[in-house]
Amino acid sequence: MSNIIFSSKATAQNGRDGHVKSDDGIIDVNLVNPAGSKSGEKGSNPEQLFAAGYAACYDGALNLMASNKGKNITSETTAEVHFMKDPSDDGFKIGATLHIKIEGVSQEEAEDLAEAAHQFCPYSKATRGNIEVELKPTAV
């Protein structure tokens, strides 16, 4: 690995029905399997945590792309991460839909900025060719 800027660490115990905690304690949550959780259990899941990271990273990339193009925008990105059956091995896979609201540009500009952010975002780079990602930009 070259030129590491920073690293983050989190430790999970007992998989989808366990607990995850970051090394600094900021993330410290119980995990509950949404497909088979006991009634009333509260907790997060890996897809929700991934959605939070992807939304934040992508929205940052979007704002950088807008700034680089001289656009003054307000944005909101919601990452919807899907847990799906994988017919190729009868297992599971994930996919994502990015719902992107951009204020301050036309619909065409919103689509261009959304694609530019998708090319730049580290999460998009990490998932490219590995999972389906659908962009849904909307000028508001």
Side-chain angles (χ1 to χ4, degrees), residues 104-127:
V105 294
S106 69
Q107 181 62 32
E108 182 179 338
E109 291 170 314
E111 291 169 7
D112 290 344
L113 287 172
E115 184 56 38
H118 189 50
Q119 295 306 311
F120 185 81
C121 171
Y123 273 64
S124 291
K125 288 178 182 179
T127 60

Side-chain angles (χ1 to χ4, degrees), residues 62-128:
L62 178 67
N63 280 273
L64 179 61
M65 296 299 100
S67 177
N68 288 349
K69 294 182 183 218
K71 303 291 181 185
N72 184 19
I73 66 165
T74 301
S75 65
E76 178 182 284
T77 299
T78 300
E80 181 180 5
V81 175
H82 317 288
F83 185 76
M84 307 175 293
K85 284 294 288 176
D86 186 349
S88 72
D89 65 1
D90 203 33
F92 303 97
K93 63 181 182 176
I94 63 171
T97 303
L98 300 180
H99 302 273
I100 310 141
K101 295 179 185 176
I102 308 172
E103 185 177 335
V105 294
S106 69
Q107 181 62 32
E108 182 179 338
E109 291 170 314
E111 291 169 7
D112 290 344
L113 287 172
E115 184 56 38
H118 189 50
Q119 295 306 311
F120 185 81
C121 171
Y123 273 64
S124 291
K125 288 178 182 179
T127 60
R128 190 166 292 120

Side-chain angles (χ1 to χ4, degrees), residues 20-21 24 31 35-36 44 47 55 64 70 73 87 105 128 131 140:
V20 67
K21 184 176 182 179
D24 62 6
L31 298 174
S44 188
E47 291 71 31
L64 179 61
I73 66 165
V105 294
R128 190 166 292 120
I131 70 169
V140 292

